[in-house]
Amino acid sequence: MAGKKIVCRCNDVTVEEVEALIDSGITDIEELKRLLRIGMGPCQGRTCIPIVLGILARKTGRKQEDIPLPRARVPTRPVRVEVIVGGADE
């Protein structure tokens, strides 16, 4: 699609997608993060979170500094299936 404005390059999220969710009543940054996967790509939100916070502030009339940042979650480490089912030592 020509002319689409990308907010999150890692997950190809557009301004229009963010605004549509906000317009539908979703104004919590954690919820937006889960639904759009913003902040979950290789950049871990360094690019998209500030942009989405700006859009959220503009659309809701809140100050950007009054919107709490999403919680950082430590990445999980892969576990072999054998460990889960008890067929191998850790």
Side-chain angles (χ1 to χ4, degrees), residues 10-31:
C10 300
N11 292 312
D12 199 33
V13 177
T14 65
V15 170
E16 292 77 17
E17 291 172 304
V18 174
E19 289 179 339
L21 283 177
I22 295 169
D23 290 342
S24 75
I26 298 171
T27 59
D28 178 61
I29 190 73
E30 289 286 345
E31 229 177 316

Side-chain angles (χ1 to χ4, degrees), residues 6-74:
I6 300 291
V7 170
C8 176
R9 292 177 294 194
C10 300
N11 292 312
D12 199 33
V13 177
T14 65
V15 170
E16 292 77 17
E17 291 172 304
V18 174
E19 289 179 339
L21 283 177
I22 295 169
D23 290 342
S24 75
I26 298 171
T27 59
D28 178 61
I29 190 73
E30 289 286 345
E31 229 177 316
L32 289 169
K33 180 179 176 182
R34 280 190 287 281
L35 292 169
L36 296 171
R37 301 201 44 81
I38 56 169
M40 296 184 190
C43 84
Q44 291 295 289
R46 284 185 283 286
T47 303
C48 57
I49 294 297
I51 296 169
V52 172
L53 285 172
I55 296 168
L56 187 57
R58 178 176 48 83
K59 297 286 283 179
T60 61
R62 294 164 39 194
K63 291 183 182 176
Q64 192 167 341
E65 55 271 10
D66 293 340
I67 302 170
L69 292 172
R71 282 182 268 143
R73 291 179 178 83
V74 179

